[in-house]
Amino acid sequence: SPSRRAVLAATAAAAAAVTGVAASAAPAAASSRPASASAAGSATRRRLQRLISRMSLEEKVGQLFVSRVYGHSATDPDQADADLNMKELGVRTAAELVARYHVGGVIYFSWAHNTRDPHQIADLSNGIQRAGLAQPTPLPLLISIDQEHGAVARIGKPATLMPGAMALGAGGSRSDARRAAKIAGQELAAMGVRQNYAPVADVNVNPANPVIGVRSFGAGPAAVAQMVAAQVSGYQAGDVAATCKHFPGHGDTETDSHYGLPVITHTREEWERLDRPPFEEAVRAGIDSIMTAHIVVPSLDPSEDPATLSRPILTGVLREELGYDGVVVTDSLAMEGVRTKYGDDRVPVLALKAGCDQLLNPPSIAVAWNAVLAAVRGGELTEQRIEQSVLRVLLLKDRLGLLRDPYASHREVDRTVGAAAHLAAADRIAERTTTLLENAGGLLPLDRRRQPRLLVVGADAGSPSGTTGPPVPVLAAALTELGFTVTALPTGTNPTAAKIDEAVAAAAGKDAVVVATYNVSASSSQRTLVSRLAATGAPVVAVAIRNPYDAARLTGQRAVLAAYCWTDVELRAAARVIAGRARPRGRLPVPVQRADDPARVLYPVGHGLTY
């Protein structure tokens, strides 16, 4: 698309602009743990190889799988969850899953009912670890999660929710990025979750990207690389394995790999310039694991196999060119992007042949596990190849201390999860990310004495896990706490004519209107909502609560803020900026093109007003 090409053309300038912001912050500290299997001491390797020699082939194969499982308890899930486990996995409980398939890891999801509250999560983790240590070869599991923060979070309150990647990119502070990741890692570790599938290392050069967007730190490769390195350092200092994703780079696509197989058309030179730097910097920072992408990159592998199944990409580029010898984990094998070309029995075998070590969330653990066993017994895969990946997985578990003590404690949960210092840090970091894009006539900040009566309307997108609620009431509550008299009226992401009329009527007599916008498209009725409200004469403040690209499609508003996500911490920060309790300090980490001429930039990388 023209807007995508405009971003690609402006990448060099964008990189320079954002790098200047990022470079002014404190440097990321280096990881204190070994970076890869090759960095481990020879004594450690010999000890783990002796352990592997005592394992059966079934146990070795099992160590390579990371499976979902339903339920809040490892041994006593609710009946509905036990039924789902039986239907999808052939077992009733997490403990039975470990006993039957010897899986090396489990991934937690909120929709799988794994994440009710911190103490329950710790108990679930401990139950899973007890099952692992009850095996013929006692081994702890590596429990993982997608807790990127921002738009993707599986554990919410009372755990601390941090600003997401693009917000941190707008803040431009490597020290903030590291601090956010360290806090997140400490809280996960307290609950027994020791591998986090973050940070996102994709460079979001395509505004139409449906799957990455605000999950990326921005459009400048050098700036993204610095933020990725800072978060790698932070997570790993928090005793959690960081996992940068999605290699070789998912930032320039208009297809969501959950539902299709994207093709990245970057030339090799474009890949080197745009996509490689963050992954290269992650390797340099000592990244524990790297997740693959279900994308086709013909310039890296002309066979057009998805990268997850591509030996030229995973072994040739990642391992041999970038020199990475740590754990490679697939993105979920239940996603359509990896299932479009091969059957579910071939995918795990091909992933191992390509260079993967962990096979994440296959649609059928029975099909996938048995397929790998058959491939070894039939000679397609050697047992030595399996042991190579098992060693990498065990080295990671050893570095995390799981082989010494895999258990979580309620005392550590109480001391760490949602600690007052963590929540305060999240608020401070968020304040440094909110970006003021427009402020005609110096409308902002609003004054609660001169402009006390506010109407808050707009999108009511479902909140990320565990936040207080939809964005309009959260924003309204925050402004009320700051001394304004606020009327809240959620109008939805696609407001009807009747709802727009209701909002216009509610604006009568108000001193200002705050509109939360969410992914505004050319045909979105959110545009009509903003212009109709502006026509009432009440000054309108638009808050883009997800993509900052909304600013290009709105007319009539006096001010525009980019919050980059609709979690409580970012909405509260936006409210404080609106009220003048905090100065806007964020700078755009992506360019915003004009809606009427996408080849032209409306707001460049680095743009941001203040007062």
Side-chain angles (χ1 to χ4, degrees):
S1 67
S3 58
R4 168 187 172 274
R5 286 299 166 195
V7 177
L8 288 172
T11 297
V18 187
T19 302
V21 175
S24 66
S31 173
S32 60
R33 290 188 278 117
S36 65
S38 61
S42 57
T44 298
R45 294 173 66 87
R46 287 195 300 271
R47 170 170 55 86
L48 296 178
Q49 285 167 338
R50 286 195 298 271
L51 177 59
I52 293 170
S53 71
R54 298 195 298 269
M55 296 167 65
S56 67
L57 176 61
E58 290 80 2
E59 288 176 313
K60 294 173 189 175
V61 168
Q63 278 298 299
L64 309 185
F65 282 94
V66 181
S67 179
R68 70 193 178 281
V69 68
Y70 293 91
H72 71 287
S73 164
T75 56
D76 188 26
D78 293 341
Q79 187 60 49
D81 289 323
D83 292 344
L84 282 168
N85 284 329
M86 184 60 68
K87 178 182 177 181
E88 296 186 17
L89 306 173
V91 296
R92 290 184 63 260
T93 69
E96 291 176 14
L97 174 74
V98 174
R100 179 172 299 182
Y101 295 107
H102 316 291
V103 293
V106 165
I107 179 173
Y108 287 169
F109 292 106
S110 51
W111 53 258
H113 310 137
N114 304 138
T115 58
R116 289 182 178 176
D117 64 74
H119 283 289
Q120 168 269 317
I121 296 168
D123 288 340
L124 173 60
S125 299
N126 288 343
I128 289 171
Q129 297 297 6
R130 282 191 291 272
L133 297 182
Q135 295 183 87
T137 304
L139 285 172
L141 278 80
L142 186 54
I143 296 171
S144 61
I145 199 165
D146 280 304
Q147 186 81 353
E148 298 172 12
H149 292 262
V152 177
R154 313 301 188 194
I155 302 173
K157 282 188 171 184
T160 305
L161 283 172
M162 287 288 174
M166 191 170 286
L168 292 172
S173 168
R174 282 176 272 170
S175 58
D176 278 354
R178 184 181 189 276
R179 175 70 171 145
K182 184 177 181 181
I183 288 171
Q186 289 172 330
E187 296 199 6
L188 288 174
M191 294 178 277
V193 181
R194 303 302 300 279
Q195 183 177 25
N196 190 18
Y197 298 134
V200 171
D202 305 314
V203 181
N204 199 69
V205 296
N206 189 341
N209 194 322
V211 65
I212 303 301
V214 293
R215 297 168 62 195
S216 164
F217 291 105
V224 171
Q226 292 298 317
M227 301 301 276
V228 165
Q231 290 230 298
V232 168
S233 172
Y235 279 121
Q236 294 180 184
D239 286 330
V240 163
T243 308
C244 71
K245 59 188 184 185
H246 307 79
F247 189 83
H250 210 317
D252 187 7
T253 175
E254 295 183 20
T255 300
D256 186 339
S257 53
H258 290 85
Y259 308 108
L261 179 57
V263 177
I264 306 296
T265 59
H266 289 180
T267 64
R268 179 64 191 238
E269 186 278 330
E270 285 177 321
W271 181 83
E272 295 279 353
R273 176 167 55 87
L274 296 171
D275 304 295
R276 174 175 174 149
F279 294 101
E280 191 167 38
E281 194 65 27
V283 172
R284 188 176 295 118
I287 186 75
D288 276 325
S289 49
I290 292 178
M291 179 179 283
T292 68
H294 305 325
I295 58 175
V296 168
V297 189
S299 66
L300 301 183
D301 182 358
S303 76
E304 300 195 1
D305 278 343
T308 299
L309 311 182
S310 168
R311 185 171 179 82
I313 291 175
L314 298 187
T315 297
V317 177
L318 179 56
R319 294 214 187 275
E320 295 173 359
E321 292 184 25
L322 271 62
Y324 178 66
D325 193 31
V327 170
V328 174
V329 56
T330 71
D331 205 344
S332 170
L333 298 183
M335 293 166 61
E336 283 303 312
V338 79
R339 303 173 74 191
T340 57
K341 193 171 179 180
Y342 301 100
D344 291 341
D345 58 336
R346 294 299 299 154
V347 165
V349 175
L350 294 174
L352 292 172
K353 292 176 75 172
C356 294
D357 302 301
Q358 287 185 306
L359 304 168
L360 175 62
N361 194 33
S364 168
I365 184 71
V367 168
W369 188 77
N370 283 302
V372 174
L373 278 176
V376 177
R377 290 170 176 156
E380 185 177 5
L381 287 169
T382 65
E383 195 160 351
Q384 181 183 21
R385 169 66 191 89
I386 299 298
E387 291 175 353
Q388 184 182 48
S389 287
V390 174
L391 178 61
R392 289 195 184 102
V393 171
L394 292 183
L395 282 166
L396 178 52
K397 292 180 179 181
D398 188 63
R399 290 201 300 279
L400 292 167
L402 289 170
L403 299 184
R404 296 186 301 277
D405 179 11
Y407 294 112
S409 76
H410 283 228
R411 180 179 179 182
E412 191 64 20
V413 168
D414 289 335
R415 189 181 75 86
T416 305
V417 179
H422 292 178
L423 295 171
D427 281 334
R428 289 193 301 271
I429 292 169
E431 281 184 358
R432 294 190 277 270
T433 69
T434 307
T435 307
L436 180 60
L437 302 179
E438 298 178 18
N439 194 23
L443 172 65
L444 296 182
L446 299 179
D447 188 307
R448 62 186 175 88
R449 289 175 291 273
R450 291 187 294 105
Q451 300 148 304
R453 297 165 299 178
L454 303 182
L455 172 65
V456 178
V457 302
D460 53 358
S463 292
S465 299
T467 55
T468 299
V472 168
V474 171
L475 195 53
L479 289 166
T480 299
E481 289 175 9
L482 293 169
F484 293 91
T485 301
V486 183
T487 301
L489 177 62
T491 49
T493 54
N494 188 28
T496 63
K499 186 60 72 172
I500 292 172
D501 288 341
E502 185 181 354
V504 168
K510 298 299 188 291
D511 298 303
V513 179
V514 178
V515 185
T517 68
Y518 183 97
N519 293 3
V520 177
S521 66
S523 60
S524 174
S525 57
Q526 293 179 70
R527 301 178 69 191
T528 305
L529 173 69
V530 171
S531 62
R532 286 280 308 280
L533 286 168
T536 67
V540 172
V541 179
V543 182
I545 62 172
R546 187 162 182 158
N547 287 323
Y549 311 117
D550 288 3
R553 297 196 180 276
L554 303 176
T555 56
Q557 72 282 353
R558 293 264 303 277
V560 179
L561 287 167
Y564 305 102
C565 195
W566 60 110
T567 49
D568 294 6
V569 68
E570 286 154 305
L571 293 175
R572 289 197 306 267
R576 290 193 294 277
V577 168
I578 290 170
R581 300 295 181 89
R583 292 187 302 109
R585 296 170 61 180
R587 298 290 182 268
L588 272 177
V590 293
V592 174
Q593 277 83 30
R594 290 176 55 130
D596 59 346
D597 184 1
R600 296 173 62 190
V601 173
L602 177 64
Y603 299 118
V605 168
H607 174 77
L609 307 175
T610 191
Y611 40 78

